[in-house]
Amino acid sequence: MANKKPQGNDRAAQARKAAQAQMKAQERRTAAIIGISAIAVVLLFAGIVYFIVRSSDIPTLDSDDVVAPAAADVTGGIAVGTGGVAGEDVPEGTARLDIYQDFMCPICGQFEDINAADLDTLREEGDVAIYYHPISILDRYSNGTEFSTRAANAAATVADQAPEAFLAFQAAMYENQPEENSDGLSDDQIASIAVTAGVPQEVADTFVDGTFTKWVIAATDQSNQDGISGTPMMRMADAGDAFADGKVLDQETDVMYFQEGALLEYARAVGAGEIVVTAPTSTSPSPTAGE
């Protein structure tokens, strides 16, 4: 019996040590969880702060440091009139069609192939005012070269300094469109394309100045506020309505603008008043069956 008591004490001591070790391990795990949680909170807070700061860095179209092309309006659209010159002979009081595009977007290239001639016809008829919005939502697909922004800046420069060549430059950019996830086109390549399209060399040489880069950024942000979630997309307003009264066209319920001739037919009908893009919502009681 004399040997059992020390063994009992040893077992009790071992149990105490095991319990203490377990408690310390739990404390370490708890401390680690608290530490990770604290880091996560800090990172989340830092992310929120970065987003707020980054958002505040995005200029608006009316910012003092934003230089807009002469042919552009307050929505970020570049109007092309009946004579094919940006900013000249733009019809007033007519229906309005806004076209949003990114020069890196392959589907925009398809849209150009299908609709370019019809848009020329529509523009020349003068019953619909056409506005082009060169925006940059696909910079992430040009390996850090920001091709979309540089190309849109070039388009804005042409609209401002060589407005008669705007449509030709736009068409030439799609004819030479780079693939997504490539470096895009270099500044020299864009300038060369511009000169081939009729842009004076001295104008093409200024693309690298980025004069309208902030305008492109602001116009891209504004497009998002106006309901544009991708490219190409169309926005249209009825004759006599302001831009804000229009709506983004849906391919299923409005017009299948990837079918040849469909956009021309639809826009003509809107321009003639045969189709109402945004029908007013009636707040009066519905008539009864006997009325």
Side-chain angles (χ1 to χ4, degrees), residues 12-13 28 36 48-49 66 74 88 93 99 101 105 114-115 119 136 139 166 175 190 204 258 277-278 289:
R28 287 195 296 271
I36 293 172
I48 293 172
V49 170
V66 169
V74 295
E88 292 186 10
I99 302 170
Q101 58 190 2
C105 167
I114 294 170
N115 294 287
L119 290 172
S136 58
D139 275 337
F166 177 76
E175 289 172 1
I190 296 174
F258 282 101
V277 176
T278 51

PDB file of all heavy atoms in Angstrom, residues 12-13 28 36 48-49 66 74 88 93 99 101 105 114-115 119 136 139 166 175 190 204 258 277-278 289:
ATOM      1  N   ALA A  12      -1.717  12.621 -10.636  1.00  0.00           N
ATOM      2  CA  ALA A  12      -2.381  13.907 -10.428  1.00  0.00           C
ATOM      3  C   ALA A  12      -1.535  15.044 -10.984  1.00  0.00           C
ATOM      4  O   ALA A  12      -2.037  15.983 -11.617  1.00  0.00           O
ATOM      5  CB  ALA A  12      -2.646  14.117  -8.932  1.00  0.00           C
ATOM      6  N   ALA A  13      -0.202  14.926 -10.735  1.00  0.00           N
ATOM      7  CA  ALA A  13       0.696  15.964 -11.245  1.00  0.00           C
ATOM      8  C   ALA A  13       0.699  15.984 -12.762  1.00  0.00           C
ATOM      9  O   ALA A  13       0.685  17.044 -13.404  1.00  0.00           O
ATOM     10  CB  ALA A  13       2.106  15.736 -10.707  1.00  0.00           C
ATOM     11  N   ARG A  28      -3.149  30.131 -26.697  1.00  0.00           N
ATOM     12  CA  ARG A  28      -2.412  30.500 -27.912  1.00  0.00           C
ATOM     13  C   ARG A  28      -3.339  30.542 -29.124  1.00  0.00           C
ATOM     14  O   ARG A  28      -3.245  31.439 -29.959  1.00  0.00           O
ATOM     15  CB  ARG A  28      -1.272  29.511 -28.141  1.00  0.00           C
ATOM     16  CG  ARG A  28      -0.102  29.666 -27.173  1.00  0.00           C
ATOM     17  CD  ARG A  28       1.119  28.921 -27.674  1.00  0.00           C
ATOM     18  NE  ARG A  28       0.891  27.476 -27.729  1.00  0.00           N
ATOM     19  CZ  ARG A  28       1.135  26.652 -26.705  1.00  0.00           C
ATOM     20  NH1 ARG A  28       1.627  27.123 -25.572  1.00  0.00           N
ATOM     21  NH2 ARG A  28       0.910  25.359 -26.848  1.00  0.00           N
ATOM     22  N   ILE A  36      -5.560  37.309 -35.846  1.00  0.00           N
ATOM     23  CA  ILE A  36      -5.986  37.230 -37.253  1.00  0.00           C
ATOM     24  C   ILE A  36      -7.214  38.091 -37.489  1.00  0.00           C
ATOM     25  O   ILE A  36      -7.314  38.798 -38.495  1.00  0.00           O
ATOM     26  CB  ILE A  36      -6.264  35.766 -37.634  1.00  0.00           C
ATOM     27  CG1 ILE A  36      -4.951  34.969 -37.627  1.00  0.00           C
ATOM     28  CG2 ILE A  36      -6.935  35.671 -38.992  1.00  0.00           C
ATOM     29  CD1 ILE A  36      -5.145  33.472 -37.791  1.00  0.00           C
ATOM     30  N   ILE A  48     -11.466  49.754 -47.179  1.00  0.00           N
ATOM     31  CA  ILE A  48     -12.549  50.748 -47.271  1.00  0.00           C
ATOM     32  C   ILE A  48     -11.969  52.147 -47.448  1.00  0.00           C
ATOM     33  O   ILE A  48     -12.442  52.936 -48.273  1.00  0.00           O
ATOM     34  CB  ILE A  48     -13.442  50.684 -46.009  1.00  0.00           C
ATOM     35  CG1 ILE A  48     -14.195  49.349 -45.971  1.00  0.00           C
ATOM     36  CG2 ILE A  48     -14.418  51.850 -45.978  1.00  0.00           C
ATOM     37  CD1 ILE A  48     -14.958  49.115 -44.679  1.00  0.00           C
ATOM     38  N   VAL A  49     -10.941  52.443 -46.670  1.00  0.00           N
ATOM     39  CA  VAL A  49     -10.297  53.758 -46.778  1.00  0.00           C
ATOM     40  C   VAL A  49      -9.713  53.942 -48.174  1.00  0.00           C
ATOM     41  O   VAL A  49      -9.883  54.998 -48.795  1.00  0.00           O
ATOM     42  CB  VAL A  49      -9.187  53.919 -45.713  1.00  0.00           C
ATOM     43  CG1 VAL A  49      -8.365  55.176 -45.984  1.00  0.00           C
ATOM     44  CG2 VAL A  49      -9.803  53.971 -44.327  1.00  0.00           C
ATOM     45  N   VAL A  66     -10.458  68.821 -65.665  1.00  0.00           N
ATOM     46  CA  VAL A  66     -10.839  67.942 -66.771  1.00  0.00           C
ATOM     47  C   VAL A  66     -10.995  68.771 -68.046  1.00  0.00           C
ATOM     48  O   VAL A  66     -11.783  69.717 -68.096  1.00  0.00           O
ATOM     49  CB  VAL A  66     -12.152  67.189 -66.464  1.00  0.00           C
ATOM     50  CG1 VAL A  66     -12.688  66.497 -67.721  1.00  0.00           C
ATOM     51  CG2 VAL A  66     -11.928  66.171 -65.356  1.00  0.00           C
ATOM     52  N   VAL A  74     -22.160  67.377 -71.954  1.00  0.00           N
ATOM     53  CA  VAL A  74     -22.024  67.161 -70.515  1.00  0.00           C
ATOM     54  C   VAL A  74     -22.195  65.701 -70.119  1.00  0.00           C
ATOM     55  O   VAL A  74     -21.906  65.332 -68.980  1.00  0.00           O
ATOM     56  CB  VAL A  74     -23.049  68.021 -69.736  1.00  0.00           C
ATOM     57  CG1 VAL A  74     -22.755  69.495 -69.930  1.00  0.00           C
ATOM     58  CG2 VAL A  74     -24.472  67.693 -70.167  1.00  0.00           C
ATOM     59  N   GLU A  88     -20.307  69.255 -85.480  1.00  0.00           N
ATOM     60  CA  GLU A  88     -20.903  70.171 -86.465  1.00  0.00           C
ATOM     61  C   GLU A  88     -22.195  69.596 -87.036  1.00  0.00           C
ATOM     62  O   GLU A  88     -22.319  68.384 -87.219  1.00  0.00           O
ATOM     63  CB  GLU A  88     -19.921  70.436 -87.612  1.00  0.00           C
ATOM     64  CG  GLU A  88     -18.695  71.228 -87.207  1.00  0.00           C
ATOM     65  CD  GLU A  88     -17.820  71.586 -88.403  1.00  0.00           C
ATOM     66  OE1 GLU A  88     -18.277  71.380 -89.556  1.00  0.00           O
ATOM     67  OE2 GLU A  88     -16.689  72.053 -88.186  1.00  0.00           O
ATOM     68  N   GLY A  93     -33.472  68.761 -81.043  1.00  0.00           N
ATOM     69  CA  GLY A  93     -34.889  68.452 -80.858  1.00  0.00           C
ATOM     70  C   GLY A  93     -35.303  67.107 -81.410  1.00  0.00           C
ATOM     71  O   GLY A  93     -36.489  66.767 -81.403  1.00  0.00           O
ATOM     72  N   ILE A  99     -23.982  55.822 -78.182  1.00  0.00           N
ATOM     73  CA  ILE A  99     -23.290  54.553 -78.402  1.00  0.00           C
ATOM     74  C   ILE A  99     -22.035  54.508 -77.532  1.00  0.00           C
ATOM     75  O   ILE A  99     -21.162  55.376 -77.637  1.00  0.00           O
ATOM     76  CB  ILE A  99     -22.900  54.393 -79.882  1.00  0.00           C
ATOM     77  CG1 ILE A  99     -24.155  54.468 -80.765  1.00  0.00           C
ATOM     78  CG2 ILE A  99     -22.158  53.079 -80.113  1.00  0.00           C
ATOM     79  CD1 ILE A  99     -23.857  54.572 -82.244  1.00  0.00           C
ATOM     80  N   GLN A 101     -18.613  52.567 -76.323  1.00  0.00           N
ATOM     81  CA  GLN A 101     -17.668  51.627 -76.914  1.00  0.00           C
ATOM     82  C   GLN A 101     -16.303  51.717 -76.243  1.00  0.00           C
ATOM     83  O   GLN A 101     -15.926  52.751 -75.704  1.00  0.00           O
ATOM     84  CB  GLN A 101     -17.516  51.917 -78.407  1.00  0.00           C
ATOM     85  CG  GLN A 101     -17.050  53.337 -78.694  1.00  0.00           C
ATOM     86  CD  GLN A 101     -17.120  53.703 -80.170  1.00  0.00           C
ATOM     87  OE1 GLN A 101     -17.554  52.917 -80.987  1.00  0.00           O
ATOM     88  NE2 GLN A 101     -16.662  54.898 -80.492  1.00  0.00           N
ATOM     89  N   CYS A 105     -12.615  46.234 -76.944  1.00  0.00           N
ATOM     90  CA  CYS A 105     -13.751  45.314 -76.890  1.00  0.00           C
ATOM     91  C   CYS A 105     -13.987  44.648 -78.248  1.00  0.00           C
ATOM     92  O   CYS A 105     -14.370  45.319 -79.210  1.00  0.00           O
ATOM     93  CB  CYS A 105     -15.000  46.076 -76.446  1.00  0.00           C
ATOM     94  SG  CYS A 105     -16.544  45.191 -76.669  1.00  0.00           S
ATOM     95  N   ILE A 114     -21.246  45.474 -88.271  1.00  0.00           N
ATOM     96  CA  ILE A 114     -22.664  45.270 -88.593  1.00  0.00           C
ATOM     97  C   ILE A 114     -23.397  46.585 -88.817  1.00  0.00           C
ATOM     98  O   ILE A 114     -24.256  46.681 -89.703  1.00  0.00           O
ATOM     99  CB  ILE A 114     -23.351  44.471 -87.465  1.00  0.00           C
ATOM    100  CG1 ILE A 114     -22.771  43.048 -87.406  1.00  0.00           C
ATOM    101  CG2 ILE A 114     -24.864  44.421 -87.650  1.00  0.00           C
ATOM    102  CD1 ILE A 114     -23.201  42.268 -86.179  1.00  0.00           C
ATOM    103  N   ASN A 115     -23.064  47.617 -88.033  1.00  0.00           N
ATOM    104  CA  ASN A 115     -23.903  48.818 -87.995  1.00  0.00           C
ATOM    105  C   ASN A 115     -23.295  50.098 -88.545  1.00  0.00           C
ATOM    106  O   ASN A 115     -24.012  51.106 -88.655  1.00  0.00           O
ATOM    107  CB  ASN A 115     -24.334  49.077 -86.542  1.00  0.00           C
ATOM    108  CG  ASN A 115     -25.250  47.998 -86.015  1.00  0.00           C
ATOM    109  OD1 ASN A 115     -26.415  47.916 -86.397  1.00  0.00           O
ATOM    110  ND2 ASN A 115     -24.726  47.159 -85.120  1.00  0.00           N
ATOM    111  N   LEU A 119     -25.491  53.366 -89.423  1.00  0.00           N
ATOM    112  CA  LEU A 119     -25.377  54.562 -88.599  1.00  0.00           C
ATOM    113  C   LEU A 119     -25.056  55.784 -89.453  1.00  0.00           C
ATOM    114  O   LEU A 119     -25.539  56.889 -89.174  1.00  0.00           O
ATOM    115  CB  LEU A 119     -24.309  54.371 -87.513  1.00  0.00           C
ATOM    116  CG  LEU A 119     -24.686  53.385 -86.398  1.00  0.00           C
ATOM    117  CD1 LEU A 119     -23.482  53.120 -85.489  1.00  0.00           C
ATOM    118  CD2 LEU A 119     -25.856  53.923 -85.578  1.00  0.00           C
ATOM    119  N   SER A 136     -13.260  53.636 -71.223  1.00  0.00           N
ATOM    120  CA  SER A 136     -12.151  52.698 -70.953  1.00  0.00           C
ATOM    121  C   SER A 136     -12.504  51.806 -69.779  1.00  0.00           C
ATOM    122  O   SER A 136     -12.185  52.114 -68.638  1.00  0.00           O
ATOM    123  CB  SER A 136     -10.857  53.472 -70.678  1.00  0.00           C
ATOM    124  OG  SER A 136     -11.038  54.358 -69.581  1.00  0.00           O
ATOM    125  N   ASP A 139      -9.101  48.309 -69.602  1.00  0.00           N
ATOM    126  CA  ASP A 139      -7.655  48.492 -69.425  1.00  0.00           C
ATOM    127  C   ASP A 139      -6.994  47.249 -68.845  1.00  0.00           C
ATOM    128  O   ASP A 139      -5.825  46.952 -69.131  1.00  0.00           O
ATOM    129  CB  ASP A 139      -7.376  49.686 -68.501  1.00  0.00           C
ATOM    130  CG  ASP A 139      -7.350  51.010 -69.250  1.00  0.00           C
ATOM    131  OD1 ASP A 139      -7.119  50.990 -70.472  1.00  0.00           O
ATOM    132  OD2 ASP A 139      -7.561  52.051 -68.616  1.00  0.00           O
ATOM    133  N   PHE A 166     -12.855  62.034 -87.392  1.00  0.00           N
ATOM    134  CA  PHE A 166     -13.232  61.244 -86.217  1.00  0.00           C
ATOM    135  C   PHE A 166     -13.796  59.880 -86.599  1.00  0.00           C
ATOM    136  O   PHE A 166     -13.358  58.848 -86.083  1.00  0.00           O
ATOM    137  CB  PHE A 166     -14.250  62.003 -85.360  1.00  0.00           C
ATOM    138  CG  PHE A 166     -14.741  61.233 -84.171  1.00  0.00           C
ATOM    139  CD1 PHE A 166     -13.949  61.075 -83.053  1.00  0.00           C
ATOM    140  CD2 PHE A 166     -15.998  60.634 -84.182  1.00  0.00           C
ATOM    141  CE1 PHE A 166     -14.395  60.353 -81.954  1.00  0.00           C
ATOM    142  CE2 PHE A 166     -16.456  59.907 -83.098  1.00  0.00           C
ATOM    143  CZ  PHE A 166     -15.656  59.769 -81.976  1.00  0.00           C
ATOM    144  N   GLU A 175     -10.475  48.295 -87.410  1.00  0.00           N
ATOM    145  CA  GLU A 175      -9.828  47.465 -88.435  1.00  0.00           C
ATOM    146  C   GLU A 175      -8.482  46.932 -87.944  1.00  0.00           C
ATOM    147  O   GLU A 175      -8.035  45.872 -88.385  1.00  0.00           O
ATOM    148  CB  GLU A 175      -9.632  48.286 -89.711  1.00  0.00           C
ATOM    149  CG  GLU A 175     -10.928  48.597 -90.452  1.00  0.00           C
ATOM    150  CD  GLU A 175     -10.716  49.562 -91.599  1.00  0.00           C
ATOM    151  OE1 GLU A 175      -9.550  49.973 -91.826  1.00  0.00           O
ATOM    152  OE2 GLU A 175     -11.703  49.920 -92.266  1.00  0.00           O
ATOM    153  N   ILE A 190      -0.911  53.749 -82.761  1.00  0.00           N
ATOM    154  CA  ILE A 190      -2.172  54.504 -82.784  1.00  0.00           C
ATOM    155  C   ILE A 190      -2.008  55.761 -83.630  1.00  0.00           C
ATOM    156  O   ILE A 190      -2.888  56.115 -84.436  1.00  0.00           O
ATOM    157  CB  ILE A 190      -2.618  54.868 -81.349  1.00  0.00           C
ATOM    158  CG1 ILE A 190      -2.936  53.596 -80.556  1.00  0.00           C
ATOM    159  CG2 ILE A 190      -3.836  55.784 -81.384  1.00  0.00           C
ATOM    160  CD1 ILE A 190      -3.241  53.857 -79.091  1.00  0.00           C
ATOM    161  N   ALA A 204      -1.699  63.857 -84.413  1.00  0.00           N
ATOM    162  CA  ALA A 204      -1.384  62.503 -83.930  1.00  0.00           C
ATOM    163  C   ALA A 204      -0.204  62.514 -82.954  1.00  0.00           C
ATOM    164  O   ALA A 204      -0.161  61.718 -82.011  1.00  0.00           O
ATOM    165  CB  ALA A 204      -1.080  61.588 -85.109  1.00  0.00           C
ATOM    166  N   PHE A 258     -27.437  43.499 -82.948  1.00  0.00           N
ATOM    167  CA  PHE A 258     -26.421  42.715 -83.641  1.00  0.00           C
ATOM    168  C   PHE A 258     -26.998  42.014 -84.874  1.00  0.00           C
ATOM    169  O   PHE A 258     -26.305  41.245 -85.521  1.00  0.00           O
ATOM    170  CB  PHE A 258     -25.765  41.704 -82.701  1.00  0.00           C
ATOM    171  CG  PHE A 258     -24.743  42.326 -81.798  1.00  0.00           C
ATOM    172  CD1 PHE A 258     -25.042  42.627 -80.484  1.00  0.00           C
ATOM    173  CD2 PHE A 258     -23.483  42.639 -82.280  1.00  0.00           C
ATOM    174  CE1 PHE A 258     -24.099  43.218 -79.654  1.00  0.00           C
ATOM    175  CE2 PHE A 258     -22.532  43.232 -81.453  1.00  0.00           C
ATOM    176  CZ  PHE A 258     -22.841  43.526 -80.139  1.00  0.00           C
ATOM    177  N   VAL A 277     -39.655  55.353 -76.764  1.00  0.00           N
ATOM    178  CA  VAL A 277     -38.642  54.630 -75.991  1.00  0.00           C
ATOM    179  C   VAL A 277     -39.033  54.526 -74.536  1.00  0.00           C
ATOM    180  O   VAL A 277     -38.976  53.466 -73.918  1.00  0.00           O
ATOM    181  CB  VAL A 277     -37.266  55.320 -76.122  1.00  0.00           C
ATOM    182  CG1 VAL A 277     -36.244  54.623 -75.231  1.00  0.00           C
ATOM    183  CG2 VAL A 277     -36.806  55.305 -77.566  1.00  0.00           C
ATOM    184  N   THR A 278     -39.445  55.641 -73.953  1.00  0.00           N
ATOM    185  CA  THR A 278     -39.814  55.665 -72.537  1.00  0.00           C
ATOM    186  C   THR A 278     -41.241  56.174 -72.408  1.00  0.00           C
ATOM    187  O   THR A 278     -41.468  57.381 -72.323  1.00  0.00           O
ATOM    188  CB  THR A 278     -38.854  56.558 -71.734  1.00  0.00           C
ATOM    189  OG1 THR A 278     -38.750  57.846 -72.384  1.00  0.00           O
ATOM    190  CG2 THR A 278     -37.474  55.938 -71.673  1.00  0.00           C
ATOM    191  N   ALA A 289     -64.730  49.041 -67.286  1.00  0.00           N
ATOM    192  CA  ALA A 289     -65.110  48.365 -68.521  1.00  0.00           C
ATOM    193  C   ALA A 289     -66.197  49.119 -69.266  1.00  0.00           C
ATOM    194  O   ALA A 289     -66.279  49.045 -70.488  1.00  0.00           O
ATOM    195  CB  ALA A 289     -65.579  46.947 -68.216  1.00  0.00           C
TER     196      ALA A 289
END
